[in-house]
Amino acid sequence: MSEQSRRRPPKPHRRPKKDPVRILAFEALRAVDERDAYANLVLPPLLKKARDKGDFDTRDAALATELVYGTLRRQGTYDAIIAACIDRPLREVDPPVLDVLALGAHQLLGTRIPTHAAVSASVELARVVLGDGRAKFVNAVLRKISQDDLDTWVERVAPPYDEDAEDHLAVVHSHPRWVVSALWDSLGGGRAGIEDLLEADNERPEVTLVARPGRATTGELLDVLGEDSALPGRWSPYAVRLAEGGEPGAIAAVREGRAGVQDEGSQLVAIALANAPLDGSDERWLDGCAGPGGKAALLGALAAGRGATLLASEKQPHRARLVDRALTGNPGPYQVIAADGTRPPWRPGSFDRVLVDVPCSGLGALRRRPEARWRRRPEDLEGFAPLQRNLLREALRAVRVGGVVGYATCSPHLAETRVVVDDVLRGRGGPAPEAELVDARPLMPGVPALGDGPDVQLWPHVHGTDAMYLALLRRTA
Ligand SMILES: C[S@@+](CC[C@H](N)C(=O)[O-])C[C@H]1O[C@@H](n2cnc3c(N)ncnc32)[C@H](O)[C@@H]1O
C-alpha cells in the first residue's frame, strides 16, 4: 500500500451549525466587553432584531437573556475555573475566546442544559465566531470543566475561608474583592449575612410596579394582572410585584404613565421624604437629581395629593426629557428643568421638601446591572465624593429652615452614605446650613431591620429591594 492510500482520508469539511441564541448571547457579551455597553441596553435591540427576522421565539429570547445575564453575574467564579483549566494566565487569552468559554462554563455549571449539549453548542459557536483552530481549544477546556459540578470546582479554586475570607467570598459569589469588602463593612455582622447579600446580588430581581397615587391603584393593577401574575408589594402601599415573565409594557396603566416600573426601595425613599414631619408650609417640593424620573413621578403624585408643586431638576438635558415624560399627566402642578444642582438657579430657602438622589457607584443595584461590578473601580468613589457633598450642601441651602432634605443613594458603600452626611453636617470640606438628622425608620412603617437609625439602609437579601440608603436632615438654622 502506498503511503498515500494508508493515510486516513480527510474528514469532509462540515459547516458549523449556526445557533442564533448562542450567537446573539456572544454578540451581547462582546458589546459589553469591547464597547463598555450595558447588557440591559444592548440586549433588547438584539432580541428585537432576532424576533423580527423570525429567528427567535419567546423561549429563545428567555434563554439568550439568561445566558448573557448569568454569564456576566458569575464571571468571577467562571474566570477562576477557566484559569484552573489552562496553562497560561487568563489575560493572555483573547477576550472573544474567553467570552465563548465563559458562556460554555455557564451552560455547564449554572444551567440545566445537559453536558453534551452545552459542550457541543459552545464548540459550534466557537467554530462560527472564532474559527476551527480555536474551537479545538474551547472543546478541550470545556471538556475539563464538564468533569465536575460547580460546588466541586468552587471548592478547588476558591482560597479557604479561614485563610482569606474576602477572597473566598469573592470567588464563591463572583464579586470583586474590594466590593465584598465594602459591602461587608457597611452590612456588618458575620459570614451568613454577607453570603446572603452576595447571593441576592446574583439573583434576578422581581419586577415591581408603582401605582402612582391619584392616577392608578394597586387594586386596579392586581385586577388587570390576575392573582397568578401579580402580588401586592411587601412594603410600599403603591407597589405591585409581577410574577416571573410578567411584561410591564403589556399593562395599559404602565403604557399610559399612570403606573411605572419602580423598585420598592425607591418607592420607600420617596414616600419617607413625603411623609417626614414638617412645621409650617408644605407647598414647594424639589427633586434636585431627578433623571430619569422614577422618584420624581411618585413625588409629583404625592405632592399633588397635598396641593404642593414639584420642581424636578436634572443636569443632563436628555435625562431631563425623560423626567418630563415620567411626569406627563401628573395630577398636580410641576415643572421640569435642566440645571446643575451644585450651581442652582433657585433661591435659597425656597422649598419645604428636597430630595437629592445623588449619582453614586450603584453598588446597591448589582442585581440589575450584571456587568457593573466588574466595571466599577474603587477610585470611582473618589470621583463621586465631592459631587455628593456639594449636592447635599446645596440641597440644605435650597430648603427653608424647618424643611427636610432626603439624601439618597443606590449604594450602601459607607463612603457614599454616612460619611457624606456626617462630613456635611460637620461642615467638613465647606460650610453648610445647620441641620439635624431626623429618624427615617418610623417613616417606613412595617419594614423590619432598618438598622440603628436615624438613617436607613435597605438590603436585597433582607427586604428584596435594591440597597437604597436614605438620610433625612431637617434644616435648623
Ligand atoms: C441616581 S440618579 C437619580 C435617579 C432618580 N432620582 C430616579 O429615581 O429616577 C442621579 C441623577 O443625577 C444627575 N446628576 C449628576 N450630576 C448632577 C448635578 N450636578 N446636578 C443635578 N443632577 C445631576 C445624573 O445625571 C442622574 O440622572
Side-chain angles (χ1 to χ4, degrees):
M1 240 194 231
S2 74
E3 186 65 24
Q4 185 71 35
S5 56
R6 258 187 281 128
R7 245 191 245 145
R8 274 221 226 118
K11 275 196 204 157
H13 182 77
R14 182 177 61 74
R15 278 167 185 267
K17 269 196 235 131
K18 287 193 176 169
D19 170 346
V21 172
R22 267 91 182 168
I23 292 176
L24 185 145
F26 172 78
E27 281 172 6
L29 291 182
R30 291 307 305 135
V32 168
D33 222 23
E34 251 176 350
R35 295 194 270 115
D36 275 357
Y38 295 100
N40 65 340
L41 298 184
V42 161
L43 208 47
L46 286 174
L47 293 174
K48 182 174 181 312
K49 205 163 115 195
R51 267 200 221 102
D52 291 349
K53 268 172 58 188
D55 278 355
F56 262 38
D57 60 21
T58 313
R59 278 179 44 201
D60 293 331
L63 176 59
T65 307
E66 155 55 28
L67 292 182
V68 173
Y69 274 56
T71 303
L72 287 170
R73 285 200 184 100
R74 297 278 177 187
Q75 189 185 322
T77 310
Y78 297 149
D79 279 356
I81 295 170
I82 294 166
C85 294
I86 59 180
D87 52 12
R88 56 189 143 131
L90 271 198
R91 62 173 183 282
E92 289 176 15
V93 181
D94 271 353
V97 178
L98 268 186
D99 281 341
V100 172
L101 286 173
L103 260 176
H106 181 55
Q107 290 169 70
L108 284 168
L109 304 175
T111 71
R112 293 204 194 123
I113 297 172
T115 302
H116 66 274
V119 174
S120 69
S122 304
V123 173
E124 289 300 304
L125 172 68
R127 291 186 67 205
V128 175
V129 299
L130 305 172
D132 282 349
R134 296 201 285 184
K136 285 194 187 123
F137 174 68
V138 167
N139 185 30
V141 175
L142 291 183
R143 280 188 191 287
K144 269 192 206 165
I145 293 178
S146 71
Q147 283 163 12
D148 282 308
D149 63 11
L150 182 62
D151 288 346
T152 313
W153 270 116
V154 161
E155 211 169 300
R156 190 176 305 151
V157 298
Y161 182 88
D162 295 335
E163 269 173 30
D164 187 335
E166 287 175 359
D167 244 358
H168 172 88
L169 295 174
V171 174
V172 173
H173 300 287
S174 187
H175 281 62
R177 183 196 163 103
W178 75 272
V179 174
V180 173
S181 176
L183 293 177
W184 209 347
D185 278 351
S186 174
L187 181 66
R191 178 174 177 174
I194 182 70
E195 293 223 50
D196 288 348
L197 169 60
L198 298 173
E199 248 344 273
D201 279 347
N202 290 332
E203 301 289 327
R204 197 168 349 133
E206 267 179 340
V207 177
T208 314
L209 303 180
V210 58
R212 295 179 176 139
R215 305 184 66 189
T217 63
T218 54
E220 173 195 343
L221 295 180
L222 290 166
D223 281 350
V224 170
L225 289 161
E227 59 185 28
D228 290 342
S229 305
L231 288 170
R234 289 192 186 89
W235 320 115
S236 158
Y238 309 116
V240 166
R241 293 147 60 202
L242 285 193
E244 197 164 324
E247 229 340 292
I251 303 160
V254 173
R255 288 197 305 276
E256 291 157 12
R258 297 184 296 110
V261 175
Q262 188 172 42
D263 180 67
E264 268 193 89
S266 290
Q267 297 183 36
L268 289 176
V269 162
I271 296 167
L273 174 68
N275 291 339
L278 274 191
D279 283 335
S281 67
D282 189 8
E283 290 160 11
R284 286 180 45 84
W285 297 12
L286 167 70
D287 181 346
C289 292
K295 293 185 195 68
L298 180 51
L299 282 176
L302 292 168
R306 302 263 180 93
T309 61
L310 176 73
L311 175 64
S313 174
E314 158 62 45
K315 184 175 179 190
Q316 305 287 344
H318 70 280
R319 287 172 77 80
R321 283 194 286 279
L322 297 177
V323 181
D324 211 16
R325 198 180 304 158
L327 274 159
T328 301
N330 191 59
Y334 68 91
Q335 195 190 350
V336 179
I337 58 169
D340 182 343
T342 65
R343 297 158 62 209
W346 46 80
R347 270 190 300 121
S350 49
F351 296 95
D352 302 302
R353 299 181 193 270
V354 176
L355 175 68
V356 269
D357 182 14
V358 296
C360 69
S361 64
L363 292 183
L366 296 180
R367 306 179 301 165
R368 291 179 201 287
R369 300 183 203 127
E371 70 289 324
R373 69 187 76 171
W374 310 115
R375 209 166 271 170
R376 280 270 166 243
R377 298 278 169 264
E379 311 82 84
D380 296 344
L381 299 182
E382 287 158 31
F384 288 123
L387 179 59
Q388 291 166 342
R389 285 162 178 73
N390 279 338
L391 286 166
L392 177 53
R393 275 193 285 267
E394 287 304 333
L396 284 169
R397 286 189 190 108
V399 82
R400 66 169 169 84
V401 173
V404 178
V405 169
Y407 172 85
T409 62
C410 188
S411 164
H413 197 302
L414 290 169
E416 304 187 88
T417 59
R418 283 194 168 166
V419 176
V420 174
V421 173
D422 202 48
D423 279 357
V424 170
L425 281 174
R426 288 168 193 269
R428 286 194 205 111
E434 274 177 32
E436 63 186 10
L437 282 163
V438 175
D439 194 350
R441 292 168 300 170
L443 297 160
M444 297 190 185
V447 184
L450 288 173
D452 301 331
D455 50 3
V456 296
Q457 178 62 65
L458 298 165
W459 293 107
H461 64 300
V462 178
H463 306 101
T465 62
D466 290 342
M468 290 295 305
Y469 170 84
L470 175 68
L472 292 173
L473 299 88
R474 180 178 292 113
R475 183 167 170 184
T476 50

